[in-house]
């Protein structure tokens, strides 16, 4: 069956996208994960990967053409498949004529056949329908971190509607229009696939919500009478759950009886298995904050200590360990899932090779204090590595590349990703045009991006588009390590700590400061000699930092 791909919403302010380039043409075979197109948004040009295997049957616009968010972008299916219903905006309209013969053959089903065929609704064209946007370049589904509006609430254009947890960050989703919230597609904590129904906003009484929901599920609106008992049975457990929730201890409740807590506090509490009702809030109006969760200590269960147990040491001087085996299953976050998927694909599909080099950092250590005397932002050794690597990439463009399957793409720009460890895993903010920026600008930008990453406030254009990546564990006393290449890069540089070593100097011995770096490279696009030459250039820049300022 043909798969319709709609124009994704690749930034928080995007309303339309421009086709910067198609990497497949109509008739080409496409595999899941293949680069399909480059989309220019209001903030950046981002790559769009295919969601499935098949043949590219249709494109919604040529190179340079504009498409609104949720307009038809492409159709992927099997060769010779009829896609006229999708191209004409009919969706599954082709299935409607088939219902008539079935109704004639089965008179008992005639009342249901007379109902409107909601499956023919094209939700992407309906102004009242809000679909799950694709908020990162690798996102396939989103988790509802928090709703800021509930059914029945009035919404204005620009109002904060929800917080969506993607594979890389938790992002805020604003309303596109004015109206009333008529339907929510999922509760907090539930997942919705990209382009599935997120919510319905419109004028009450003028929108057929039931038809929209049924169309999103590929069902008809006519509900058989037999479903009524099932619905009533389902309502009973729900009512019981509501009564149980009402009996829970009320802490930090707002006017409608819900616990007041920040989205991050709720997420941490869920991960740690902490009942929010037991946590006292110290925020405004008793709101529970992240610190409240992290500082919360559950009341210890009363210890049963019989007198006989107290006398046990006297009778048996050998201590008896009453251990209990156990384990804890930790649910995967969206970020952790994507890290596992992408790095697994990188490690087992790209033939890695590794080159390690030792760099003398004496002059870098001498130059850094002098640089910081005139720099507005404090320059770190990692900032110096970023600058040196960017300038070395300019001299060795073969390392600044991506393996594209049947060709190698060498980039004319140098965008250096800097790996940042956060609570849920790892994210790579990108310093764009790093080779052209002074050290003070790189220092200020990396500090700002790292802060945004840890607060989960990065925008898609701030963590995408890297052409090379640096991972530094030197601040954690790691001397050397190897890193897995961060797709779509062809190489990643692992940086260890600076340590003092005794070396021969003249007729005697002295202490010098050295740092080990290891380049992991994809042998499909980078040869060993090319990687070694890159490291030699990097070494020259770091061992004589003044050359980076010329």
């Amino acid at each position: 069956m043909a798969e319709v791909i709609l124009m994704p919403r690749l930034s928080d302010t995007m309303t339309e996208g421009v086709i910067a380039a198609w990497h497949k043409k109509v008739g080409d075979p496409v595999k899941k994960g293949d680069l399909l197109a480059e989309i220019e948004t209001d903030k950046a040009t981002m790559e769009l990967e295919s969601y499935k295997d098949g043949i590219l049957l249709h494109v919604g616009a040529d190179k340079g053409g504009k498409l609104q968010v949720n307009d038809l972008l492409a159709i992927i299916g099997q060769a010779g498949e009829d896609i006229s219903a999708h191209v004409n905006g009919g969706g599954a309209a082709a299935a409607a004529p088939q219902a008539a013969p079935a109704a004639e053959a089965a008179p008992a089903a005639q009342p249901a056949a007379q109902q409107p065929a909601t499956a023919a609704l094209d939700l992407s064209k309906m102004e009242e329908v809000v679909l799950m946007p694709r908020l990162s370049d690798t996102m396939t589904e989103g988790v509802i971190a928090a709703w800021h509006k509930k059914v029945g609430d009035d919404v204005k254009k620009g109002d904060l509607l929800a917080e969506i947890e993607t594979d890389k960050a938790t992002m805020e989703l604003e309303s596109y229009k004015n109206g009333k919230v008529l339907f929510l597609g999922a509760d907090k904590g539930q997942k919705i696939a990209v382009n599935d129904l997120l919510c319905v906003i419109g004028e009450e009484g003028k929108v057929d919500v039931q038809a929209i929901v049924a169309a999103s599920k590929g069902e008809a609106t006519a509900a058989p009478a037999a479903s009524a008992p099932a619905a009533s049975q389902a309502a009973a457990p729900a009512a019981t759950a509501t009564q149980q929730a009402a009996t829970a201890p009320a802490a930090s409740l707002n006017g409608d009886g819900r616990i007041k807590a920040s989205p991050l506090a709720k997420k941490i509490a869920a991960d740690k298995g902490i009942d929010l009702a037991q946590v006292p809030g110290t925020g405004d109006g008793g709101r529970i904050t992240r610190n409240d969760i992290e500082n919360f200590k559950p009341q210890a269960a009363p210890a049963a200590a019989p007198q006989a147990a107290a006398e046990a040491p006297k009778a048996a001087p050998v201590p008896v360990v009453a251990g209990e085996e156990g384990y804890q299953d930790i649910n995967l976050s969206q970020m952790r899932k994507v890290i596992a998927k992408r790095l697994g694909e990188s490690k087992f599909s790209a033939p890695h090779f590794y080159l390690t080099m030792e760099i003398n950092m004496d002059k870098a250590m001498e130059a850094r204090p002098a640089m910081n005397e005139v720099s507005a932002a404090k320059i770190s050794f990692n900032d110096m590595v970023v600058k040196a690597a960017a300038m070395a990439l300019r001299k060795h463009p073969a390392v600044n590349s991506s393996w594209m399957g049947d060709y190698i793409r060498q980039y004319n720009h140098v965008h250096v990703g800097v790996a940042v460890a956060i609570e849920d895993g790892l994210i790579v903010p990108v310093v764009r045009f790093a080779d052209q920026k002074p050290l003070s600008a790189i220092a200020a930008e990396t500090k700002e991006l790292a802060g945004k990453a840890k607060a989960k406030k990065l925008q898609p254009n701030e963590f995408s588009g890297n052409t090379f990546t640096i991972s530094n564990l030197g601040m954690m006393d790691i001397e050397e390590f190897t890193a897995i290449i961060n797709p779509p890069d062809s190489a990643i540089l692992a940086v260890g700590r600076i340590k003092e070593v005794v070396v021969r100097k003249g007729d005697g011995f002295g202490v010098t400061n050295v740092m080990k770096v290891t380049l992991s490279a994809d042998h499909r696009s980078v040869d060993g000699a090319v990687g070694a030459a890159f490291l030699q250039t990097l070494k020259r820049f770091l061992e004589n930092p003044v050359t980076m300022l010329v």
Side-chain angles (χ1 to χ4, degrees):
M1 181 177 178
E3 178 81 10
V4 173
I5 299 177
L6 306 180
M7 172 60 77
R9 186 170 181 259
L10 298 174
S11 82
D12 56 333
T13 57
M14 174 181 171
T15 58
E16 65 181 12
V18 177
I19 308 299
W22 281 107
H23 291 269
K24 300 289 182 180
K25 61 181 183 294
V26 173
D28 282 356
V30 179
K31 293 183 179 180
K32 185 177 180 181
D34 279 358
L35 180 58
L36 196 60
E38 292 179 39
I39 309 295
E40 182 180 348
T41 73
D42 55 333
K43 292 186 175 179
T45 298
M46 303 182 67
E47 296 178 343
L48 178 68
E49 296 178 354
S50 174
Y51 306 149
K52 65 167 292 182
D53 299 338
I55 304 295
L56 182 59
L57 304 176
H58 176 80
V59 295
D62 294 329
K63 177 182 176 182
K66 290 183 181 180
L67 290 175
Q68 298 295 311
V69 168
N70 292 327
D71 277 357
L72 177 63
L73 179 62
I75 299 176
I76 297 175
Q78 301 303 316
E81 189 172 358
D82 183 11
I83 60 171
S84 57
H86 298 299
V87 174
N88 297 329
Q98 299 174 1
E104 293 174 2
Q110 188 173 359
Q114 293 173 354
Q115 297 294 332
T118 57
L121 290 177
D122 187 353
L123 300 185
S124 66
K125 301 292 185 183
M126 298 185 68
E127 185 181 357
E128 296 82 7
V129 172
V130 179
L131 303 179
M132 172 61 78
R134 188 170 183 257
L135 298 174
S136 84
D137 55 334
T138 55
M139 175 181 171
T140 57
E141 63 184 10
V143 176
I144 307 298
W147 282 109
H148 289 269
K149 299 290 182 181
K150 61 181 183 295
V151 173
D153 284 356
D154 291 324
V155 179
K156 293 182 180 179
K157 186 176 180 180
D159 281 358
L160 180 57
L161 193 60
E163 294 179 34
I164 309 295
E165 181 186 346
T166 73
D167 54 323
K168 293 186 175 179
T170 299
M171 304 183 67
E172 296 179 344
L173 178 67
E174 297 179 354
S175 175
Y176 307 149
K177 61 168 293 179
N178 300 332
K180 187 183 290 290
V181 179
L182 305 178
F183 174 79
L184 300 180
D187 294 330
K188 177 193 167 187
Q190 292 184 338
K191 300 175 183 176
I192 299 181
V194 168
N195 290 327
D196 277 2
L197 180 62
L198 180 63
C199 66
V200 179
I201 298 174
E203 191 173 343
E204 198 168 11
K206 294 188 177 181
V207 180
D208 190 346
V209 177
Q210 185 180 3
I212 292 172
V213 175
S216 71
K217 299 177 180 178
E219 302 171 352
T221 53
S227 65
S232 61
Q233 292 173 6
T240 304
T242 304
Q243 293 172 359
Q244 291 174 350
T247 60
S252 302
L253 300 180
N254 60 16
D256 57 6
R258 292 179 299 172
I259 295 176
K260 295 188 295 184
S262 68
L264 183 57
K266 292 178 180 179
K267 183 178 185 305
I268 296 174
D271 292 343
K272 293 186 175 182
I274 296 175
D275 183 2
L276 286 173
Q278 298 179 2
V279 181
T282 61
D284 294 339
R287 190 168 187 260
I288 299 172
T289 65
R290 174 181 180 174
N291 289 336
D292 296 331
I293 299 296
E294 292 178 342
N295 296 329
F296 175 70
K297 295 181 179 178
Q299 293 182 353
Q307 186 174 358
E311 297 174 354
K314 297 179 181 179
V318 179
V320 177
V321 179
E324 182 178 347
E325 294 182 352
Y327 61 87
Q328 181 181 4
D329 291 331
I330 301 174
N331 292 328
L332 296 178
S333 65
Q334 293 298 101
M335 179 178 291
R336 179 57 62 187
K337 287 181 182 178
V338 172
I339 289 174
K341 176 178 179 291
R342 286 172 63 82
L343 293 187
E345 290 172 352
S346 173
K347 180 65 176 177
F348 299 114
S349 65
H352 287 51
F353 72 91
Y354 308 98
L355 301 171
T356 300
M357 182 172 282
E358 196 171 79
I359 298 174
N360 188 314
M361 295 294 286
D362 285 343
K363 290 185 178 180
M365 296 184 73
E366 292 173 4
R368 182 169 169 254
M371 292 178 182
N372 281 328
E373 287 182 4
V374 296
S375 174
K378 186 176 181 181
I379 297 171
S380 68
F381 289 112
N382 194 63
D383 299 327
M384 298 174 74
V385 173
V386 171
K387 177 65 174 178
M391 295 180 68
L393 289 169
R394 179 59 65 195
K395 292 180 177 292
H396 303 277
V399 183
N400 193 48
S401 64
S402 294
W403 174 258
M404 306 303 292
D406 52 359
Y407 61 93
I408 297 171
R409 174 176 296 167
Q410 283 191 11
Y411 298 100
N412 296 326
H413 56 274
V414 178
H415 292 348
V416 178
V418 181
V420 175
I422 61 176
E423 185 177 355
D424 290 335
L426 188 74
I427 195 166
V428 184
V430 179
V431 180
R432 298 178 181 276
F433 306 106
D435 58 320
Q436 302 175 31
K437 293 179 178 177
L439 273 166
S440 57
I442 291 175
E445 189 171 342
T446 53
K447 183 177 181 180
E448 179 186 5
L449 290 172
K452 283 186 176 182
K454 292 176 181 178
K456 294 187 175 181
K457 296 297 183 182
L458 284 175
Q459 297 302 312
N461 63 298
E462 294 175 321
F463 55 71
S464 60
N466 47 285
T467 62
F468 185 82
T469 302
I470 292 173
S471 179
N472 191 337
L473 292 178
M475 70 291 293
M476 303 180 76
D477 278 346
I478 300 300
E479 288 190 13
E480 64 176 303
F481 67 103
T482 58
I484 299 175
I485 297 169
N486 179 33
D489 300 347
S490 286
I492 184 172
L493 186 70
V495 182
R497 74 182 180 96
I498 300 173
K499 68 170 184 176
E500 292 183 341
V501 295
V502 177
V503 295
R504 186 175 184 85
K505 290 187 176 182
D507 295 332
F509 294 89
V511 174
T512 192
N513 296 280
V514 299
M515 177 180 74
K516 287 186 179 179
V517 296
T518 299
L519 182 74
S520 304
D522 185 344
H523 219 321
R524 296 173 300 182
S525 50
V526 180
D527 293 330
V530 172
F534 166 81
L535 286 181
Q536 286 178 330
T537 304
L538 175 78
K539 178 185 178 78
R540 284 197 296 270
F541 281 132
L542 288 174
E543 290 189 343
N544 193 9
V546 71
T547 57
M548 292 191 286
L549 309 177
V550 177

